[in-house]
């Protein structure tokens, strides 16, 4: 949900190589690159480069639920990501 309480669907595509994390963030306003991404153990962090904004994200992977919990930006918006497997 966004700061206004409304649903704001976002898809993340993550790619890892060692501890490096890259990928894209896709929403109704477009698709944007992920930069400065790092994975260490269950922790991860990256920057979503959305138009002229650089939004920091900090998260943790929970293997039991196959999900990622993210704190997005300075407002500490919290979201939980669930894996979707392409068919």
């Amino acid at each position: 949900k966004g700061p206004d309480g409304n649903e704001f669907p976002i898809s993340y595509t993550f790619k890892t190589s060692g501890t490096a994390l890259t990928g894209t963030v896709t929403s109704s306003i477009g698709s944007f690159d992920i930069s400065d991404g790092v994975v260490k153990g269950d922790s991860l962090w990256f920057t979503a480069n959305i138009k002229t904004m650089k939004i920091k994200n900090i998260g943790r992977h929970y293997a039991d639920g196959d999900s990622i919990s993210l704190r997005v930006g300075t407002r500490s918006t919290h979201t939980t990501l669930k894996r979707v497997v392409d068919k």
Side-chain angles (χ1 to χ4, degrees):
K1 293 184 180 185
D4 59 2
N6 290 320
E7 294 285 329
F8 187 76
I10 299 175
S11 294
Y12 293 82
T13 301
F14 295 122
K15 298 176 185 177
T16 58
S17 177
T19 61
L21 173 68
T22 60
T24 57
V25 177
T26 304
S27 73
S28 61
I29 62 172
S31 186
F32 307 96
D33 291 331
I34 289 172
S35 65
D36 305 321
V38 176
V39 176
K40 272 193 177 174
D42 290 343
S43 297
L44 60 116
W45 54 93
F46 61 90
T47 300
N49 302 298
I50 300 180
K51 296 188 178 187
T52 60
M53 298 181 295
K54 293 185 179 288
I55 301 172
K56 301 285 183 182
N57 292 257
I58 300 170
R60 181 166 300 278
H61 174 252
Y62 295 92
D64 291 347
D66 199 18
S67 64
I68 295 174
S69 178
L70 280 182
R71 185 172 46 124
V72 181
T74 57
R75 293 185 181 178
S76 295
T77 300
H78 183 266
T79 188
T80 300
L81 309 178
K82 295 283 188 177
R83 182 188 308 257
V84 175
V85 178
D86 292 331
K87 295 180 181 179

